[in-house]
Amino acid sequence: MSSADETAVAITGESGPMNGLKETAIRSVFFSCALVTVLTTLGIILVLVQGSIGFFQEVSIVEYVTGTDWSPVIRPRSFGVLPLIWGTLIITVGSALIAIPVGTATAIYLSEYADPQVRKVIKPTLEILAGIPTIVYGFFALSFITPIIQRFFPETGTFNAAAGAIVVGIMIIPMVSSLSEDAMSSVPDDLRNAAYGLGATKFEVSTSVVFPASLSGVIASYILALSRAIGETMAVTLAAGMHPQITGNLLEPIQTMTAYMVQIGISDVSVGSIGYQSLFAVGLTLFAMTLAMNLFSLWIKSRYREEYQ
Amino acid sequence: MTANNEPAEMTPNRRGPESVSTSEIDERRSASAAADDGPLGSPRVSSPVIESRDLDVFYGDTQALHGIEMEVPERQVTALIGPSGCGKSTFLRSINRMNDLIDVARVEGDLYFHGKNVYDDDVDPVALRRKIGMVFQKPNPFPKSIYDNVAYGLRVQGKDDGDVDEKVRTALEQAALLDEVEDQLDESGLDLSGGQQQRLCIARAIAPDPEVVLMDEPASALDPVATSKIEDLIDDLAEEYTVVIVTHSMQQAARISDKTAVFLTGGHLVEFDDTEKIFENPESQQVEDYITGKFG
């Protein structure tokens, strides 16, 4: 009887209503912090949609999405967003053509081939590459990449799509390689051993076992890198120029959606004018594109998730 | 012999399955079969497929195996038993040079496959592993379809020119799995039960038709029913293949093997003989203690 009493005392201890109150308070603090990100996202969507409403009262959506001429400030005005989308597309596809092969090969090297010592040097270096401010990449493109292109193609302008695509490609390599390497490293060694045991070479193990087994993570890294390319702003503004046009010639300047937003953002268009409102419409378009990419990435991840025991 | 010298790089003149080193092995195979004089101090062996001579294996500074002497007879089941950490799995992995994949592992001494030392410089571990298949402790099917799992070895070994379907079905049948998966060959190998996965791994190992099948505690992760299926299967496999199996279960060794090697703590091979002899009348007191459960 007495021992049971002691136990009862020991369990209740100092705890009381005050302790429960503290827990509740802590919980609310953490919850509010988490809420900030959600509210911010909702706020951004609200602002974009609200700002765009004014724009689409003046300009028909059909003209916006099918028009091939973009001149919202200078008369005669024209509001076809396709040249901006085209510019963004050129940069995205061009940079993907560079970053996906190079990034994937880097990831395979780091995960499957590199000595631990080599990996210890290369991985942080790649992460430094990812941390360089994008405006620095822009100057790198202007002062280094473009002169090289001009040496081969003298007619190349100071601002050109090729330099933009190349520099964004370089910029997103670390994203592809780092995330893909994480995915490849998490493939269990059991699978590698099984393949080696069957007489597979290292190259076969890497390409026909490790790569497919890590596919969901690898594809997710591609998509994240591409949404980064779509949203990339300063480097492309500096490297690729501010000339909205639909052209297949990569040596000519173009303008991406983001570069246009920079242009209007720093210009003296008056608040409430159609030029100002177009900022929100383009922003909304950009947001929709990156959102779609991120949702696609999530879907890929769940669709191709491999289950190991 | 470290993983720095990875399989592909260890091949000055790699040419796939028909490379010099393997055809040389084939030649010596007939030679060694003809000149069979039986190793000293061990039961008479008809044409040993694998001979270990004074084999030491080190992991860094730790010696995992000490001067292993053993001859593995053709088309029989040889069991390697002993307590945990006795080096039996290490010995198994040194036969097909899987220890190459471990950075710190180092091998000294000789290990002959049909009279050819597999640690000679001109041996391509990739070609060696095509002759010596392996089944692992934990079922490890690839995240691919059942069909592609079995066909994988055929593909990497360039044996996928003929009737792959036929070879896949034959291997699944030999592994006693065909009846259970016949209608789901396109489904993922990971969807099978543990016992089925292990039989899938056995089918995958034998599909390219190796000579030797190494098994590292293939039933230790399985329930009794699945274990008994695997044991029956090993019995059948020995008609066509030389089987070397590591097991921690003495009963299992007694049930399925023709020869038994007893490794004891520290990486010493204490006794190697006919399974019956080992379990009924072992030479060594240590082995007798181990078998009867007084030690280990």
Side-chain angles (χ1 to χ4, degrees), chain A residues 113 115-116 190-191 193-202 204-205 208-209 212-213 306-309, chain B residues 4 6-7 14 98 101 126 129-130 132-133 136 138 140-144 152 156-157 190 197 204-205:
Chain A
Y113 285 84
D115 285 335
D190 290 349
L191 293 185
N193 286 337
Y196 281 125
L198 286 163
T201 61
K202 196 167 197 77
E204 286 162 344
V205 173
S208 67
V209 174
E306 279 78 28
E307 281 154 36
Y308 305 112
Q309 285 190 323
Chain B
N4 294 340
E6 261 316 326
R14 221 174 82 56
M98 286 298 279
L101 303 172
V126 170
R129 292 179 197 135
R130 292 175 178 191
I132 304 181
F136 298 82
K138 209 177 105 188
N140 55 357
F142 299 126
K144 300 174 189 286
Y152 185 83
V156 297
Q157 301 189 22
L190 294 169
Q197 287 191 8
R204 182 176 65 184

Side-chain angles (χ1 to χ4, degrees), chain B residues 26-163:
Chain B
D26 286 334
E27 275 167 37
R28 293 187 189 211
R29 173 189 188 181
S30 38
S32 76
D36 173 38
D37 48 9
L40 286 169
S42 38
R44 201 177 150 70
V45 177
S46 61
S47 171
V49 179
I50 294 155
E51 290 171 75
S52 172
R53 293 286 170 245
D54 198 19
L55 189 81
D56 298 331
V57 176
F58 301 84
Y59 293 124
D61 295 332
T62 316
Q63 186 163 4
L65 286 178
H66 297 263
I68 304 301
E69 298 275 336
M70 199 196 294
E71 306 78 27
V72 175
E74 193 164 19
R75 292 180 200 210
Q76 291 191 21
V77 178
T78 301
L80 313 178
I81 63 171
S84 299
C86 67
K88 52 194 193 296
S89 289
T90 298
F91 179 70
L92 193 78
R93 293 168 60 92
S94 60
I95 296 175
N96 66 343
R97 290 186 60 172
M98 286 298 279
N99 282 334
D100 287 15
L101 303 172
I102 298 171
D103 274 325
V104 295
R106 182 164 54 87
V107 176
E108 284 174 13
D110 304 315
L111 197 135
Y112 298 97
F113 177 53
H114 289 303
K116 171 74 182 168
N117 188 349
V118 304
Y119 287 98
D120 280 351
D121 288 342
D122 63 343
V123 170
D124 174 4
V126 170
L128 177 71
R129 292 179 197 135
R130 292 175 178 191
K131 299 265 175 187
I132 304 181
M134 189 159 200
V135 176
F136 298 82
Q137 182 170 358
K138 209 177 105 188
N140 55 357
F142 299 126
K144 300 174 189 286
S145 71
I146 293 170
Y147 183 95
D148 287 337
N149 261 284
V150 181
Y152 185 83
L154 297 168
R155 286 179 183 142
V156 297
Q157 301 189 22
K159 292 177 179 167
D160 56 347
D161 44 351
D163 193 345

